[in-house]
Amino acid sequence: ATWSGSQARAQDTPASDTTKTSDAEKLQQLNLQLENQFRTELDLLPIPLADTPAATAVDQHSRRGDLQMYLGLFGEAETSYRRMVELDPALDASHWRLGIACFFADHPKAGADQFEKYHSFDSVDRETGIWRYFCHYRASGKDIARKQLLRYDKDDRPPFREVYQLFQGTLTAEDVLKTASAASPATRPQRLFYSQLYVGLNASLEKDRTTAIKSLQQATLNEWPRNAGYGPRYMWHIGRLELNRLTPQPKTGN
């Protein structure tokens, strides 16, 4: 199973590569470029009105929510995503973006509830269990989060099985990354991205700032997710935003 977006989405434009700049400088330049782009798009995006047709309003709230997430406006994104569900309740169970917004907006219990709903919608995709674990970790700590891990009868695609085993305590972060690195050239970029992303996010929760920054920087420098479709690109932004939180970026002043 793969998370995907059925509504309008915020696109981003790849930044030009400068071979003589450091990785940190490249990411800083990229962040400044994206912030300017997304703020401009958000300013130009219509705000749904009372007489806006429901389908159009859902699409506009979806796009606003994505842009707000990409700008780190997590509370605003949560509100936009919730308005989508208010207009179309059928979206609720599959709305994984709402769960992620709740997590970053410091509403972890609501996020856990959202991923519980998603598990009823798709009982195979372990990204659901990963994010539910993160929400429980933030709300109640590691021990309780581990005890409340979702149970899966079927294996999901790698590396999510291995990431899940990290939370279960049967694999180390090094094991997860080593397994991804040993994948075939065709699948290695994808597996490395998700492994680095979730190892980094988990390390951040565990207050291991050094591991978190290293892993999230590797995930953010990976070219695969930005060209692989909506879901991977969205998760690329999540890694980028958490990396920015750990290594604050200069503001443009706009």
Side-chain angles (χ1 to χ4, degrees), residues 108-172:
K109 291 183 179 179
D113 290 343
Q114 190 64 32
F115 288 114
E116 188 77 39
K117 294 177 188 177
Y118 193 93
H119 185 60
S120 68
F121 173 79
D122 182 345
S123 62
V124 175
D125 193 338
R126 291 198 185 214
E127 272 191 282
T128 305
I130 290 170
W131 280 99
R132 184 175 176 271
Y133 172 82
F134 285 164
C135 288
H136 280 305
Y137 193 126
R138 177 159 287 175
S140 306
K142 182 176 182 177
D143 290 343
I144 291 177
R146 180 174 285 181
K147 289 177 181 177
Q148 296 187 11
L149 277 168
L150 290 173
R151 304 297 177 185
Y152 288 91
D153 296 326
K154 298 180 181 179
D155 272 340
D156 195 7
R157 66 201 185 285
F160 301 121
R161 176 185 57 226
E162 290 81 8
V163 171
Y164 218 65
Q165 290 174 318
L166 170 66
F167 303 152
Q168 292 170 324
T170 57
L171 287 181
T172 66

Side-chain angles (χ1 to χ4, degrees), residues 12 30 45 59 102 116 122 125 182 192:
D12 53 77
L30 177 59
L45 189 63
D59 188 73
C102 289
E116 188 77 39
D122 182 345
D125 193 338
L192 276 174

